[in-house]
Amino acid sequence: MSNYRRANIKGATYFFTVVTKNRKPWFETEKNISILRKAFRVTMNEKPFKLEAAVILPDHLHCIWQLPEDDHDFSGRWREIKKRVSRYLDTRTNACGERPVWQRRFWEHRIRDERDWRNHMDYIHYNPVKHRLVERVCDWPWSSFHQAVAKGWYEPDWGNSIPQHVLNMEH
């Protein structure tokens, strides 16, 4: 049995990677992306957190969350999001009562400082280009990149070439 321990720091900011089971491309349709987005909204309403950045790809997603100052339960939030999505995407269950939509675990990284935050923001927004889904960052519709441009965090043509610090990041 794994002895994996997650960081439990109240109010921290985290980068996440969440992958579908067997890399099935559940999120290649607008309908399924809408289901995922609704699961986020409902969960955020019940257990608030700030979604600072996100990208939805056909078989995985990346995002950055900031938790409330008095809360460290990102695992519970992911459990609810995954359950809500799974109910709509696949009604079959295995012997453990699990639906075959998500990998059991997810990957998290606690954001340490402003530079770390910026590097992970860039990683998120460049990811559709990295996976050859589009040629330009601005062409991927399922990303917070457009909101980040509106906030002045990026130029609209950012990412026309791969940022050097993103080259070595793997999540």
Side-chain angles (χ1 to χ4, degrees), residues 143-162:
S143 167
S144 58
F145 177 73
H146 308 287
Q147 289 129 345
V149 168
K151 292 176 183 177
W153 296 352
Y154 290 96
E155 292 297 320
D157 63 347
W158 178 87
N160 287 340
S161 62
I162 187 165

Side-chain angles (χ1 to χ4, degrees), residues 80-95:
E80 291 305 311
I81 291 167
K82 286 176 158 187
K83 281 189 335 190
R84 286 183 169 106
V85 170
S86 297
R87 280 184 204 128
Y88 289 99
L89 296 187
D90 197 328
T91 57
R92 298 172 296 142
T93 58
N94 64 17

Side-chain angles (χ1 to χ4, degrees), residues 40-93:
F40 264 84
R41 282 192 303 275
V42 170
T43 303
M44 289 171 78
N45 190 48
E46 291 175 357
K47 292 194 75 158
F49 62 93
K50 183 179 177 187
L51 181 61
E52 295 187 346
V55 65
I56 303 168
L57 299 144
D59 62 357
H60 70 286
L61 62 110
H62 300 288
C63 52
I64 296 176
W65 295 0
Q66 181 172 9
L67 296 175
E69 288 185 28
D70 61 344
D71 195 341
H72 61 77
D73 185 23
F74 56 79
S75 289
R77 287 169 171 87
W78 275 119
R79 182 175 48 254
E80 291 305 311
I81 291 167
K82 286 176 158 187
K83 281 189 335 190
R84 286 183 169 106
V85 170
S86 297
R87 280 184 204 128
Y88 289 99
L89 296 187
D90 197 328
T91 57
R92 298 172 296 142
T93 58

Side-chain angles (χ1 to χ4, degrees), residues 20 23-29 56-60 133 140:
T20 62
R23 292 269 182 183
K24 183 173 179 178
W26 283 107
F27 303 111
E28 63 185 359
T29 67
I56 303 168
L57 299 144
D59 62 357
H60 70 286
L133 297 168
W140 189 250

